[in-house]
Amino acid sequence: QVRLVESGGALVQAGGSLRLSCTGSGRTFSSYAMGWFRRAPGKEREFVAAIGWSTVYTDSVKDRFTISRDNAKNTVDLQMNSLKPEDTAVYYCAAARQYATRTLSTSANYDYWGRGTQVTVSS
């Protein structure tokens, strides 16, 4: 069992930056692939970024967002730069026990989810 808690969400102006953090419980945290997803108002949840054997990003955040992890601290961070109003969403952290790089963008492959943190980007 892994418990995930996100933090770092805030209101920020377009062009600004935020760093989201997800802290996980459990001694096996390092064995999980970790992902960030988001859900904008009125939209389906979508993949943002993930880190397993490698990192994977959705096209809309490439070159703006960076995912990283610190297994000693059981954390995975999402550094978000050059934020746009369309990045406004609730951001969720997720953990996958078994994975392949090609499956990291699929939410159904994740076993544990946090409750989310709100990111609002004003224009």
Side-chain angles (χ1 to χ4, degrees), residues 71 74-75 86 105 118:
N71 290 329
N74 279 12
T75 59
E86 51 263 43
S105 61
Q118 176 70 48

Side-chain angles (χ1 to χ4, degrees), residues 51-101:
I51 183 166
W53 301 113
S54 59
T55 57
V56 182
Y57 298 91
T58 192
D59 287 346
S60 63
V61 308
K62 283 180 181 177
D63 300 323
R64 298 190 299 124
F65 291 11
T66 302
I67 189 170
S68 60
R69 69 188 301 166
D70 185 336
N71 290 329
K73 297 181 179 180
N74 279 12
T75 59
V76 58
D77 291 351
L78 185 69
Q79 177 66 42
M80 306 187 295
N81 299 327
S82 302
L83 282 162
K84 305 175 181 181
E86 51 263 43
D87 294 318
T88 294
V90 177
Y91 283 72
Y92 299 90
C93 174
R97 287 175 294 184
Q98 296 182 349
Y99 62 93
T101 300

Side-chain angles (χ1 to χ4, degrees):
Q1 189 79 8
V2 175
R3 182 170 176 264
L4 302 172
V5 179
E6 303 94 337
S7 62
L11 170 64
V12 63
Q13 289 188 331
S17 297
L18 275 178
R19 189 175 185 89
L20 304 184
S21 187
C22 172
T23 302
S25 63
R27 291 175 291 179
T28 60
F29 180 85
S30 62
S31 67
Y32 290 78
M34 300 300 298
W36 285 96
F37 291 76
R38 66 187 180 188
R39 177 175 285 158
K43 295 188 177 181
E44 297 291 318
R45 182 171 57 192
E46 67 170 351
F47 169 74
V48 177
I51 183 166
W53 301 113
S54 59
T55 57
V56 182
Y57 298 91
T58 192
D59 287 346
S60 63
V61 308
K62 283 180 181 177
D63 300 323
R64 298 190 299 124
F65 291 11
T66 302
I67 189 170
S68 60
R69 69 188 301 166
D70 185 336
N71 290 329
K73 297 181 179 180
N74 279 12
T75 59
V76 58
D77 291 351
L78 185 69
Q79 177 66 42
M80 306 187 295
N81 299 327
S82 302
L83 282 162
K84 305 175 181 181
E86 51 263 43
D87 294 318
T88 294
V90 177
Y91 283 72
Y92 299 90
C93 174
R97 287 175 294 184
Q98 296 182 349
Y99 62 93
T101 300
R102 67 181 184 279
T103 68
L104 289 176
S105 61
T106 304
S107 61
N109 291 312
Y110 289 80
D111 303 286
Y112 304 104
W113 293 82
R115 293 189 173 186
T117 186
Q118 176 70 48
V119 172
T120 303
V121 184
S122 63
S123 58

